[in-house]
Amino acid sequence: MVTKAEFKKAAKLAVQNVIKHGDTDIFPFPFENHAFFDKETEAVELVIEYDEKFEQYLNQFPPKNVSSLTPVTYSGFRWATQIDPMWNAHFLASVTAIGESIERARIDRKNEAVFSYRFEPNTETGDVFSREVGWFQFMKKSLELAEVHPFTVICDISEFYPRLGHHRLENALRQVAGETPYPKRIMSFLSNFSNTNSFGLPIGGPAARLLSEITINQVDRLLQSKGIVFTRFADDYHLFAQTKEDAYRNLIFLSEKLFINQGLTLQKSKTRIMSSTEFKATSPIKDEQKPDEEQAADAAIDHSRATLMRFSLRFDPYSPTADDDYEALKAEVRKFDIIGMLKEELAKSRVHTSLARKIISAIKFLEGKSKQDAVLSVMDNCDVLYPIFSSVLMMIDDQFDHLEEGTQNAVLAKIQQLIDQDSHVFRVDMHTSFAIRVLAHSNTPQVQFLLQKLFDNRPSELIRRDIILVMARWGEWYWLSDLKNRYRELSAPERRAFIASSFILKDEGKHWRDHMKKEFDPFEMLVLKWAGEKMQAQQNWSVPL
């Protein structure tokens, strides 16, 4: 059983994780994360309240999630969902409450077979998973196994998260935590999330990652029991064999067990049986050894790219040594030819998405003309960077105040031009929502008109929520006063944004809140209390994005 004290610990970890890392690695951070940060104790207590009254609150205040297409390739998309912030915290707390049981049921880390999302909670950092085990360790071990196995099979599961079955997940959860109420609560939440479909997990959050691991654990153990040498990270498998016939047998066994036990299949286009020599030569972390003079330059570039892929750009702004850590990280980044690697990627018709995303993240650590040129280059090549353009916009938003005025104006003009032209780049709501956060740096009549036009013409809750917050940040009371008359027509994310923004309406806002707060749910009341206290403490406070 999970005791009250244990669930409280899980709730605290969930709130800390949201504060430090956001709810997913796909969507913009919801503004409510700031309320979690400032009102952490109250947020934890509310997660516990949602747990104690789970059935009542699930029916009375069901999750209001936000969904959007997000690019994964130049012409491929997936449907992603940002979970209602409070329910997301409860969902994560419910999963981490039985996290130790899930981890114990998996193949032991010491076996060096499964490298994805090893449960290792840290209440100081808010981390749910170990930082010592991940994709790089997965690739490194695969290279070691390729040294002693002549053949390697590479494959990944097709539509892993969207197609993962709830019935199979529930069975796995009951095996590891059947005596607790959390398997049932997790499945009730997922049923609501998937609109009663019996499959699908939210993409991008730590709770879903841990649930996917316990589900696929059955197949891992079947591979292990068959004596098949393998490594796995998330939906990527590497199988190793002494002969080509054995490689085929291993692949057939994996394919059968995935389909029979999980209803899953392997992606045909990404499944290959290759010699281990070829596998090592094409590995993204391969080391070039003793290149001849003719290959020296290319080998140096490849080595630099591989090193950058391994290099951690993780920076904790909450660390007591944050300033020193940031300077040290900048010094390390200077050792890479970021501009050179960026030019190499932009010269391609299709970028290497993982490498390009890493290069984009490194731009923030550049200085002077190098940073300005890099920002202008990525904006001028939005078509080439289309699959990772959200990463570009996040980097620019973060660095906007460090850009020269000319660079700022060029960025803003490019975004406005693309939106006005109805470019495919901003037909994806995810891209537009990140662009709004860049546009928020420029309160001009032109940008105001553009945002109002977007609010009226784009139904996305993601976009409309952030426009409300931007208009409040700018103090545009005339627009918010008019929107107040349509409050009941707004979606839940928009309503929470308006509640926090209503404080700029002075007495008009106070009269409205006094009249309406009897309709607010418990989470809206937390947002109301948080915004009120912030406004009282700082007269010029505005709701952060």
Side-chain angles (χ1 to χ4, degrees):
M1 290 294 293
V2 176
T3 65
K4 289 184 177 180
E6 289 170 335
F7 185 81
K8 183 176 181 178
K9 183 178 178 181
K12 185 175 182 180
L13 175 66
V15 171
Q16 288 175 330
N17 182 267
V18 170
I19 290 170
K20 294 289 185 71
H21 306 295
D23 54 340
T24 75
D25 56 4
I26 300 173
F27 287 86
F29 281 15
F31 82 94
E32 293 93 342
N33 287 8
H34 297 283
F36 286 163
F37 178 83
D38 292 323
K39 308 286 292 179
E40 182 178 338
T41 300
E42 290 90 334
V44 170
E45 290 172 354
L46 191 54
V47 171
I48 295 170
E49 181 181 326
Y50 270 55
D51 190 64
E52 292 172 345
K53 301 179 179 179
F54 180 79
E55 296 293 343
Q56 175 190 341
Y57 278 17
L58 189 64
N59 292 322
Q60 192 174 354
F61 313 118
K64 299 296 191 299
N65 306 323
V66 177
S67 297
S68 173
L69 281 179
T70 180
V72 290
T73 64
Y74 287 92
S75 55
F77 303 87
R78 66 183 176 193
W79 196 248
T81 300
Q82 186 171 50
I83 301 172
D84 180 298
M86 181 49 63
W87 280 107
N88 173 66
H90 180 269
F91 177 44
L92 180 54
S94 298
V95 175
T96 56
I98 56 174
E100 295 289 355
S101 298
I102 291 174
E103 181 64 24
R104 283 195 298 271
R106 300 171 66 189
I107 292 178
D108 196 291
R109 285 169 57 169
K110 295 177 182 177
N111 287 26
E112 294 187 292
V114 178
F115 293 85
S116 44
Y117 312 123
R118 305 308 309 219
F119 186 69
E120 191 176 295
N122 186 322
T123 53
E124 292 184 5
T125 64
D127 288 348
V128 173
F129 305 118
S130 170
R131 293 189 181 186
E132 305 302 319
V133 183
W135 179 86
F136 176 70
Q137 288 72 27
F138 158 68
M139 292 301 304
K140 184 179 179 182
K141 183 62 179 181
S142 293
L143 286 175
E144 291 176 7
L145 292 171
E147 290 287 349
V148 293
H149 294 84
F151 292 91
T152 302
V153 181
I154 62 170
C155 49
D156 66 36
I157 302 169
S158 178
E159 296 187 299
F160 185 31
Y161 279 58
R163 303 305 305 176
L164 202 144
H166 290 178
H167 179 64
R168 296 173 176 90
L169 170 59
E170 184 173 14
N171 288 342
L173 287 175
R174 290 190 180 282
Q175 287 293 326
V176 301
E179 295 182 2
T180 77
Y182 294 105
K184 181 179 179 181
R185 290 181 185 177
I186 289 167
M187 299 317 301
S188 294
F189 174 84
L190 289 175
S191 178
N192 178 283
F193 160 79
S194 63
N195 294 318
T196 70
N197 290 324
S198 59
F199 54 85
L201 290 179
I203 296 173
R209 287 173 175 150
L210 195 53
L211 293 179
S212 70
E213 290 295 321
I214 190 58
T215 309
I216 206 68
N217 177 61
Q218 180 197 26
V219 175
D220 292 341
R221 290 202 167 275
L222 289 170
L223 289 171
Q224 185 185 52
S225 68
K226 192 71 172 178
I228 295 173
V229 179
F230 76 97
T231 55
R232 180 177 66 79
F233 182 85
D235 56 359
D236 289 327
Y237 274 102
H238 293 163
L239 314 176
F240 303 90
Q242 293 296 330
T243 68
K244 197 167 188 177
E245 280 297 322
D246 285 342
Y248 270 107
R249 289 190 188 98
N250 294 347
L251 176 59
I252 290 169
F253 182 83
L254 173 62
S255 299
E256 286 179 344
K257 297 308 175 185
L258 279 172
F259 186 77
I260 292 170
N261 292 288
Q262 304 294 338
L264 298 170
T265 58
L266 296 174
Q267 289 199 48
K268 299 180 181 67
S269 62
K270 294 186 178 181
T271 300
R272 291 181 62 192
I273 296 176
M274 59 175 67
S275 70
S276 290
T277 301
E278 182 185 1
F279 173 75
K280 289 184 288 183
T282 57
S283 170
I285 68 164
K286 67 181 185 298
D287 289 323
E288 300 290 342
Q289 296 183 5
K290 299 180 182 178
D292 58 35
E293 290 181 8
E294 213 171 275
Q295 297 172 323
D298 288 342
I301 292 172
D302 286 345
H303 181 73
S304 182
R305 288 172 176 163
T307 306
L308 180 63
M309 287 291 288
R310 295 195 295 266
F311 186 70
S312 175
L313 293 170
R314 187 188 296 270
F315 169 68
D316 183 4
Y318 302 104
S319 167
T321 59
D323 291 342
D324 291 339
D325 294 346
Y326 187 77
E327 291 302 318
L329 192 53
K330 281 202 301 184
E332 289 299 312
V333 170
R334 290 193 200 105
K335 297 177 182 178
F336 297 97
D337 182 11
I338 299 299
I339 297 297
M341 285 190 276
L342 178 62
K343 288 179 178 177
E344 288 280 339
E345 286 300 305
L346 295 181
K348 301 175 182 177
S349 58
R350 291 171 178 257
V351 297
H352 183 295
T353 54
S354 297
L355 176 60
R357 188 175 280 113
K358 197 88 174 193
I359 293 169
I360 297 301
S361 296
I363 289 174
K364 69 176 68 174
F365 300 106
L366 300 179
E367 295 180 334
K369 188 173 184 298
S370 295
K371 176 178 287 188
Q372 313 303 316
D373 290 346
V375 168
L376 293 173
S377 294
V378 295
M379 284 303 301
D380 286 340
N381 289 274
C382 54
D383 281 347
V384 177
L385 295 169
Y386 179 72
I388 62 166
F389 201 59
S390 289
S391 297
V392 172
L393 293 166
M394 280 190 280
M395 179 273 295
I396 292 176
D397 176 33
D398 180 69
Q399 292 298 299
F400 195 86
D401 292 337
H402 301 286
L403 301 178
E404 296 174 359
E405 184 178 355
T407 305
Q408 292 177 345
N409 291 337
V411 167
L412 295 168
K414 184 68 173 180
I415 292 174
Q416 291 176 75
Q417 178 190 26
L418 290 171
I419 294 176
D420 284 336
Q421 292 175 347
D422 200 24
S423 166
H424 72 282
V425 174
F426 288 119
R427 285 306 304 165
V428 177
D429 291 338
M430 193 80 73
H431 286 173
T432 305
S433 65
F434 280 110
I436 287 169
R437 293 172 181 238
V438 177
L439 293 173
H441 293 277
S442 175
N443 182 10
T444 65
Q446 294 85 355
V447 175
Q448 278 193 37
F449 177 77
L450 178 62
L451 294 189
Q452 291 178 34
K453 181 179 176 182
L454 283 171
F455 189 90
D456 292 336
N457 296 335
R458 296 283 284 271
S460 167
E461 299 164 300
L462 197 63
I463 292 172
R464 288 164 59 96
R465 175 197 67 190
D466 283 359
I467 291 174
I468 292 171
L469 297 174
V470 172
M471 297 298 275
R473 171 184 283 192
W474 290 343
E476 303 302 339
W477 64 269
Y478 72 93
W479 187 84
L480 289 168
S481 178
D482 178 64
L483 185 63
K484 169 176 62 65
N485 301 319
R486 293 174 280 154
Y487 171 79
R488 288 191 177 93
E489 300 171 15
L490 302 180
S491 67
E494 295 166 41
R495 287 201 303 270
R496 288 193 296 270
F498 185 83
I499 290 169
S501 300
S502 69
F503 284 89
I504 76 158
L505 295 177
K506 308 297 182 184
D507 286 346
E508 180 185 1
K510 182 179 185 305
H511 292 315
W512 176 82
R513 291 189 299 275
D514 289 343
H515 177 71
M516 293 295 299
K517 65 183 179 183
K518 60 181 178 294
E519 298 183 16
F520 295 168
D521 66 32
F523 185 35
E524 289 169 339
M525 289 299 296
L526 177 65
V527 170
L528 173 67
K529 182 179 180 182
W530 163 71
E533 290 179 0
K534 295 294 287 187
M535 183 62 76
Q536 190 172 24
Q538 306 172 38
Q539 289 301 313
N540 294 322
W541 178 80
S542 59
V543 187
L545 285 170

